[in-house]
Amino acid sequence: MSTTNVTDYLTDLDDTLREIGEKLRPVIDAALPGTGGAMWHGHPTWSLGDRPGKNPVCLLKAHGSYITFGLWRGQELVDPSGRLTAGARQMASVKLRTVDEIDPALFADWLRQACDLEAR
């Protein structure tokens, strides 16, 4: 998939993954006002700063049957749900297979925490 913007990336996904991405995108945009998503290393990334990838906060990455919603400093977040899975370095993520797995309030809380960490 070689797209140049988040909208095209989501549009090119199959129906289920597109639906997940389209439900999650406004949650991210509302929690991180003024950041805007951009393509960075082949997938949508939301970053603080004037360039994609400068102080990255979160990403969406489509796989065959799910979308990964990843947070760069996710291992540092308070996650009472226990849904975040630790990844490389400080990253943590959740795999989303249906729109019902999106909890807007929980995800917005993660994003606010992540943004606060990156802003330090």
Side-chain angles (χ1 to χ4, degrees), residues 1 16-17 20 25 29-30 64-65 91-92:
M1 181 180 311
T16 301
L17 298 183
I20 293 167
R25 185 180 188 182
D29 289 340
S65 62
M91 291 193 77

Side-chain angles (χ1 to χ4, degrees), residues 5-120:
N5 64 61
V6 176
T7 299
D8 289 347
Y9 182 92
L10 296 176
T11 299
D12 288 346
L13 300 176
D14 72 31
D15 292 344
T16 301
L17 298 183
R18 182 175 56 252
E19 187 178 355
I20 293 167
E22 288 175 349
K23 183 173 181 181
L24 190 51
R25 185 180 188 182
V27 172
I28 297 168
D29 289 340
L32 302 175
T35 60
M39 297 303 291
W40 189 55
H41 292 282
H43 51 268
T45 303
W46 283 259
S47 305
L48 303 179
D50 57 355
R51 295 187 327 261
K54 182 176 174 124
N55 298 325
V57 175
C58 70
L59 63 88
L60 298 179
K61 186 170 184 178
H63 300 273
S65 62
Y66 62 91
I67 286 186
T68 295
F69 172 51
L71 297 141
W72 255 265
R73 295 178 66 180
Q75 292 182 36
E76 297 177 57
L77 305 182
V78 175
D79 176 27
S81 72
R83 291 183 60 191
L84 287 173
T85 301
R89 299 180 189 91
Q90 296 174 328
M91 291 193 77
S93 63
V94 61
K95 294 178 181 178
L96 303 167
R97 290 178 172 79
T98 70
V99 294
D100 295 336
E101 295 174 324
I102 297 171
D103 180 337
L106 175 64
F107 289 17
D109 181 56
W110 290 342
L111 289 161
R112 280 189 291 275
Q113 290 183 61
C115 188
D116 289 348
L117 288 170
E118 285 303 324
R120 291 183 194 167

